[in-house]
Amino acid sequence: MELRAWRVTLELAETFRISREAQDRAEVVQVELRHGHLAGYGEAAPVERYGQSAGSALAYLKEAATLLGDDPWALEEIHARLPDREPAARAAIDAALHDLCGKLASVPVYRLLGLRRAGPPTSWTIGLGDPDEMARKAERQAGRFRRLKLKLGGRDGLDVERVRAVRRVTALPLRVDVNEYWSLEEALDFLPQLARLGVEYCEQPLPAGHPAGAELKRRSPLPIYLDEDCHVLADVAACAKIGHGIVIKLAKSGGLREALRMAAAARALGLGVMVGCMVESGLGIAPAAHMASACDYVDLDGNLLLARDPCPGLELVDGVQLPPLAPGLGVAPA
Ligand code: MG
């Protein structure tokens, strides 16, 4: 199999702010994997928080290209040969392999995985901002989405007011994501107030590895979902001690195979499962959309945050990100 990779800059429709950063664009890397007359595609969304970039992903892919062999069905063997770093780049290879296998078998990837096409509705993410600004954004999306996710962690004493302001303008189910920016004291103060406002769950209130995780799980009136604390299968057991659910992202897990193992491990430990994303094109979101029916909660809006999605194909139907019916991922670079 022959691998080709290139860099793509994605422009966001508006600045996207979370606790640790603000973003106007995202650099991703797309790959093409050729096997005979067929081509499989995938996208890497490198995570800066973990020292990755488009440059480091491209360097990894150059090295990985020599290790792929010629059998796209040898998914486990290929993963075993790939060096265990740059998970976003590995996820792009994994996506391209699944795309190829689906095309070879003439079935969409969700069928290849034994899953249903439609998962739960995706949330729409509202970036961190003033309470009024967040409420206005919530109002604007009222008809289009069935769940909202609010970014919190402003460290300005206004996080509960942000949720209250949004709650005033919508009855939609709300989730919040703190991206590691609360202390234990803040979490214990804010979470009961958010529970009274009907918030469903809270993503990553404490910094990853915080020693009070188990105490917060015991005392929190809201389910805690772990994102920055949970990357791969080996992290899931420890997450059962400090949370009620895990957030799977392909850019952290290195692809669909590890993601589905994580979901199974989470179930065995009594944990809920959410699938999330980075700022990605439709090509990056597609593999996650194909596995969404294995999850309880879905946050796959990365391509919808873009000014223009260079890889259309996913359909937003009644708030659900539906993967195409075509063989493979059904989404390709334009
Ligand atoms: Mg998160």
Side-chain angles (χ1 to χ4, degrees), residues 5-327:
W6 60 93
R7 194 187 291 252
V8 176
T9 301
L10 305 173
E11 303 286 341
L12 284 151
E14 50 185 53
T15 302
F16 185 64
R17 207 176 297 280
I18 69 169
S19 55
R20 79 174 84 92
E21 65 195 358
Q23 199 180 357
D24 287 301
R25 59 188 60 80
E27 286 243 291
V28 298
V29 172
Q30 297 185 337
V31 307
E32 178 192 73
L33 201 50
R34 285 222 153 259
H35 175 72
H37 65 287
L38 289 176
Y41 297 97
E43 183 176 290
V47 186
E48 207 184 308
R49 159 93 167 80
Y50 305 116
Q52 299 157 34
S53 65
S56 69
L58 279 168
Y60 180 91
L61 289 164
K62 197 171 171 189
E63 179 186 343
T66 62
L67 303 169
L68 297 175
D70 221 23
D71 179 6
W73 293 100
L75 292 153
E76 289 295 328
E77 283 178 50
I78 293 169
H79 273 292
R81 283 199 293 268
L82 295 175
D84 187 14
R85 52 191 172 81
E86 295 291 328
R90 265 186 291 128
I93 294 173
D94 178 86
L97 286 168
H98 281 85
D99 192 25
L100 265 180
C101 291
K103 286 168 177 166
L104 286 164
S106 295
V107 293
V109 166
Y110 69 87
R111 295 266 296 156
L112 202 64
L113 301 173
L115 297 172
R116 282 179 293 113
R117 184 182 182 208
T122 181
S123 49
W124 170 258
T125 306
I126 298 177
L128 187 60
D130 295 339
D132 285 351
E133 179 191 349
M134 290 177 74
R136 277 199 310 278
K137 288 183 178 175
E139 250 174 336
R140 250 188 276 145
Q141 298 301 336
R144 204 166 157 227
F145 294 94
R146 288 159 62 194
R147 310 279 184 270
L148 296 176
K149 166 167 154 174
L150 313 186
K151 289 290 193 179
L152 302 181
R155 287 197 177 156
D156 51 6
L158 293 176
D159 276 349
V160 173
E161 188 46 39
R162 291 185 166 93
V163 179
R164 199 171 286 131
V166 171
R167 185 42 96 209
R168 266 186 225 117
V169 300
T170 179
L172 288 179
L174 303 179
R175 299 106 189 235
V176 300
D177 186 356
V178 185
N179 290 109
E180 312 183 276
Y181 262 53
W182 285 347
S183 64
L184 175 65
E185 293 67 32
E186 287 172 309
L188 290 171
D189 178 12
F190 298 156
L191 288 169
Q193 302 185 62
L194 299 190
R196 283 194 291 277
L197 290 166
V199 169
E200 287 182 297
Y201 62 85
C202 177
E203 241 180 88
Q204 198 72 43
L206 301 178
H210 194 288
E215 180 184 349
L216 183 61
K217 175 177 180 175
R218 206 168 52 244
R219 297 175 66 184
S220 175
L222 277 186
I224 305 291
Y225 272 64
L226 300 161
D227 181 351
E228 284 86 344
D229 261 312
C230 190
H231 296 223
V232 294
L233 180 63
D235 300 325
V236 179
C239 286
K241 299 190 178 75
I242 59 174
H244 307 84
I246 61 165
V247 179
I248 294 173
K249 286 178 185 162
L250 301 179
K252 297 184 296 179
S253 75
L256 284 167
R257 303 190 67 75
E258 182 80 348
L260 289 170
R261 285 191 285 263
M262 292 170 76
R267 302 276 179 227
L269 291 160
L271 297 173
V273 178
M274 175 189 143
V275 61
C277 65
M278 309 303 296
V279 175
E280 303 174 60
S281 81
L283 178 59
I285 300 293
H290 279 278
M291 66 157 280
S293 73
C295 304
D296 305 302
Y297 299 108
V298 170
D299 177 34
L300 293 179
D301 59 354
N303 62 323
L304 305 171
L305 298 168
L306 300 178
R308 190 187 69 86
D309 183 356
C311 305
L314 295 173
E315 260 184 286
L316 183 71
V317 178
D318 197 19
V320 177
Q321 283 275 58
L322 283 181
L325 292 162

